[in-house]
Amino acid sequence: MSTNDCLFCKIIAGEIPSKKLYEDDEMLAFYDINPMAPLHFLIIPKKHIENLMELDVSDSGLIGKLFYKAQELAKEQGCEQKGGRFVINTKTDGGQTVDHLHIHFLGGRALGWPPG
Ligand code: AMP
Ligand code: ZN
């Protein structure tokens, strides 16, 4: 999929609105439109990387920054004490529906395991 067809690239470009939590040169965090927990946000790189399987070694610093910011935001949003779940659904078996790498954070309730 080219970046022109990508929903999250359109959100980054401001062509589709989102409820932003955080933005800098490299990443954007916004609330999930269909929350699965009281706190459910996504954090994405501005670089179009389709999924975790497409990660290049040169992107390893970027993924570290995404996780670092994700945990900062989760703490800011009140989930430091009880935690939550950082998830990267990947390709078909992982249930990925948007082909632009994203970390979900889900918190604010106890989550079941294993996933269905
Ligand atoms: P995944 O299934 O892991 O690919 O996650 C994609 C996520 O994007 C789902 O949780 C959707 O609810 C969310 N999503 C889809 N469209 C939007 C949108 N316009 N704004 C915010 N979140 C969205
Ligand atoms: Zn994209």
Coordinates of all heavy atoms in Angstrom, one line a residue, residues 1-3 6-10 12 45-49 99-101, ligand 2:
M1 N 0.9 -1.2 0.0 CA 0.0 0.0 0.0 C 0.9 1.2 0.0 O 1.8 1.3 0.8 CB -0.9 0.0 1.3 CG -1.9 1.1 1.3 SD -2.7 1.3 2.9 CE -4.0 0.1 2.8
S2 N 0.6 2.2 -0.8 CA 1.4 3.4 -0.8 C 0.9 4.3 0.3 O -0.2 4.2 0.8 CB 1.3 4.1 -2.2 OG 0.1 4.9 -2.2
T3 N 1.7 5.3 0.7 CA 1.4 6.2 1.8 C 0.1 7.0 1.4 O -0.6 7.4 2.3 CB 2.5 7.1 2.1 OG1 2.9 7.8 0.9 CG2 3.7 6.3 2.7
C6 N -3.0 5.4 2.7 CA -2.9 4.9 4.1 C -3.6 5.8 5.0 O -3.4 7.0 5.1 CB -1.4 4.8 4.5 SG -1.2 4.5 6.2
L7 N -4.6 5.2 5.8 CA -5.4 6.0 6.7 C -4.5 6.8 7.7 O -4.8 8.0 8.0 CB -6.3 5.0 7.4 CG -7.2 5.6 8.5 CD1 -8.3 6.5 8.0 CD2 -7.8 4.4 9.3
F8 N -3.5 6.1 8.3 CA -2.8 6.8 9.3 C -1.9 7.9 8.7 O -1.6 8.9 9.4 CB -2.0 5.8 10.2 CG -2.9 5.0 11.1 CD1 -2.3 4.0 11.9 CD2 -4.2 5.3 11.3 CE1 -3.1 3.3 12.8 CE2 -5.0 4.6 12.2 CZ -4.5 3.6 12.9
C9 N -1.4 7.7 7.5 CA -0.6 8.8 6.8 C -1.6 10.0 6.6 O -1.1 11.1 6.7 CB 0.0 8.3 5.5 SG 1.5 7.3 5.7
K10 N -2.8 9.7 6.3 CA -3.8 10.8 6.2 C -4.0 11.5 7.5 O -4.2 12.7 7.5 CB -5.1 10.3 5.6 CG -5.0 9.9 4.1 CD -6.3 9.4 3.5 CE -6.0 9.1 2.0 NZ -7.0 8.2 1.5
I12 N -1.8 11.7 9.9 CA -0.5 12.5 10.1 C -0.6 13.8 9.3 O -0.2 14.9 9.8 CB 0.7 11.7 9.7 CG1 0.9 10.5 10.7 CG2 1.9 12.5 9.6 CD1 1.8 9.4 10.2
P45 N 4.7 6.0 14.1 CA 5.8 6.8 13.5 C 5.2 7.6 12.3 O 4.3 7.1 11.7 CB 6.7 5.7 13.0 CG 5.9 4.5 12.7 CD 4.7 4.6 13.7
K46 N 5.8 8.8 12.1 CA 5.4 9.5 10.9 C 5.9 8.9 9.6 O 5.3 9.0 8.6 CB 5.8 11.0 11.0 CG 5.0 11.7 12.1 CD 5.2 13.2 12.1 CE 4.2 13.9 13.0 NZ 4.4 15.4 13.1
K47 N 7.0 8.1 9.8 CA 7.5 7.3 8.6 C 6.5 6.2 8.4 O 6.1 5.5 9.3 CB 8.9 6.8 9.0 CG 9.5 5.9 7.9 CD 10.8 5.4 8.4 CE 11.4 4.5 7.3 NZ 12.7 3.9 7.7
H48 N 6.1 6.0 7.1 CA 5.2 4.9 6.8 C 6.0 3.6 6.8 O 6.7 3.3 5.9 CB 4.6 5.1 5.4 CG 3.6 4.0 5.1 ND1 2.3 4.0 5.5 CD2 3.8 2.9 4.4 CE1 1.7 2.8 5.0 NE2 2.7 2.2 4.4
I49 N 5.8 2.8 7.9 CA 6.3 1.4 8.0 C 5.1 0.6 8.1 O 4.2 0.8 8.9 CB 7.2 1.3 9.2 CG1 8.4 2.3 9.2 CG2 7.7 -0.2 9.4 CD1 9.1 2.4 10.6
D99 N -2.5 -0.8 7.8 CA -1.2 -1.2 7.5 C -0.2 -0.1 7.6 O 0.5 0.4 6.6 CB -1.1 -1.8 6.1 CG -1.8 -3.2 6.0 OD1 -1.8 -3.9 7.1 OD2 -2.4 -3.5 5.0
H100 N -0.1 0.5 8.8 CA 0.9 1.5 9.2 C 1.2 1.2 10.6 O 0.3 1.2 11.5 CB 0.3 2.9 9.0 CG 1.2 4.0 9.3 ND1 1.5 5.1 8.4 CD2 1.9 4.3 10.4 CE1 2.3 6.0 9.0 NE2 2.6 5.5 10.2
L101 N 2.4 0.8 10.9 CA 2.8 0.4 12.2 C 2.3 1.3 13.3 O 2.3 2.5 13.3 CB 4.4 0.4 12.3 CG 5.0 0.0 13.6 CD1 4.8 -1.4 13.9 CD2 6.5 0.3 13.6
Ligands
ZN2 ZN 1.0 5.2 6.4

